[in-house]
Amino acid sequence: MVGLYNIRVFFIDSKVMRRTKEEALETRNSILQAALECFSTYGYALTTFTEIASRIKMTKGAIFWHFTSKEHLLAEVIAWMHSQYAPLEGIDQAKSLDEVKAYFMDWSKMVLLNERHRSFLHFIMSRVEWSAALKEKLRTYLDDLMVKDPILMLEKCLTRLKEEGQIDAPITPKEIAVLLALTFFGVHREEQLRFNELDVQKTLSYGLDCIIQSIRSK
């Protein structure tokens, strides 16, 4: 009887622990979603834990229980979004400049089709003040969370393609990566912030082609 009782208690405790973990994860995801909405609406600098807590009817203390600082919360929002779709993931293995373009086009399509990723891109491009101090704090958090920088992966790919003789350009792979990224962000920024009637995929494709054709080995 004692053995059966202990088994029953074990399963009850396991069930309670599982439910508690699920509830904690649900709460955490609610905070991350509310933080993304607030960051996108008010900007990173003007968003407070009080505003985030109010949006989901929680206390500020509950937010601090999950996230120790606003920088920590920002890093977790970035990691959360990357866990759903990691921009340019695998691009460091691209075998040609045409494959590099395809990675950017896939990223663009995801942004256009998914409202959450659309809001995230808008926030990253326009609603956060990228000071040196903030970037340094984020780098530590994101390294711990193993979030890869897509532009660094792109630079790694371009360096290899140049070594293979596929790229012939008077600028460095890092500078080429910046040009490609600026084209991507610029087209999406124009569409999101200025509300122009813009064929994003067509415009982006043409812009990337202009850069790629200018650096491709003849």
Side-chain angles (χ1 to χ4, degrees):
M1 287 296 294
V2 173
L4 289 175
Y5 174 78
N6 287 339
I7 291 173
R8 183 169 181 271
V9 169
F10 171 79
F11 280 112
I12 291 174
D13 287 347
S14 297
K15 186 175 181 180
V16 170
M17 289 176 63
R18 185 167 61 252
R19 186 171 64 247
T20 301
K21 289 180 180 178
E22 290 172 353
E23 290 172 350
L25 180 60
E26 183 178 345
T27 298
R28 187 175 182 279
N29 287 340
S30 295
I31 295 171
L32 292 172
Q33 178 62 41
L36 175 58
E37 292 171 359
C38 289
F39 288 156
S40 299
T41 302
Y42 307 114
Y44 175 75
L46 296 180
T47 295
T48 64
F49 274 26
T50 299
E51 178 65 38
I52 296 170
S54 174
R55 184 172 288 253
I56 50 179
K57 296 179 173 57
M58 295 179 63
T59 65
K60 185 169 67 172
I63 309 293
F64 274 112
W65 191 85
H66 287 271
F67 307 101
T68 57
S69 66
K70 194 158 69 167
E71 294 88 356
H72 178 205
L73 176 56
L74 174 57
E76 292 284 356
V77 167
I78 294 172
W80 179 57
M81 293 302 299
H82 276 234
S83 71
Q84 299 170 50
Y85 178 81
L88 305 183
E89 184 174 26
I91 198 170
D92 53 331
Q93 302 301 315
K95 295 179 174 60
S96 68
L97 288 171
D98 292 326
E99 283 192 22
V100 168
K101 175 187 173 182
Y103 275 98
F104 274 103
M105 298 306 296
D106 287 345
W107 185 8
S108 176
K109 185 177 181 180
M110 168 59 72
V111 171
L112 293 173
L113 294 177
N114 189 295
E115 187 58 37
R116 181 180 290 167
H117 287 280
R118 187 182 178 88
S119 295
F120 178 65
L121 186 64
H122 168 64
F123 159 62
I124 290 297
M125 288 191 302
S126 308
R127 307 295 286 164
V128 57
E129 301 74 19
W130 292 109
S131 67
L134 176 58
K135 286 189 286 187
E136 185 60 34
K137 289 179 180 179
L138 274 184
R139 186 177 296 111
T140 300
Y141 281 122
L142 293 177
D143 284 347
D144 290 342
L145 294 168
M146 293 185 292
V147 175
K148 295 181 180 179
D149 183 337
I151 309 306
L152 287 180
M153 291 191 295
L154 172 60
E155 182 184 344
K156 180 180 178 181
C157 170
L158 294 171
T159 298
R160 176 173 49 79
L161 294 180
K162 187 169 186 177
E163 291 171 351
E164 293 173 358
Q166 296 192 46
I167 294 175
D168 180 16
I171 58 176
T172 66
K174 181 176 183 178
E175 291 165 335
I176 296 171
V178 169
L179 284 176
L180 292 170
L182 284 175
T183 300
F184 175 87
F185 289 121
V187 171
H188 278 277
R189 179 184 175 87
E190 184 72 14
E191 190 271 338
Q192 288 190 16
L193 298 184
R194 299 185 184 278
F195 305 104
N196 285 353
E197 294 183 0
L198 186 69
D199 186 329
V200 171
Q201 290 259 292
K202 181 179 178 181
T203 306
L204 177 61
S205 177
Y206 183 80
L208 294 174
D209 279 342
C210 287
I211 297 172
I212 287 172
Q213 293 308 318
S214 71
I215 65 172
R216 194 193 300 270
S217 294
K218 304 301 186 286

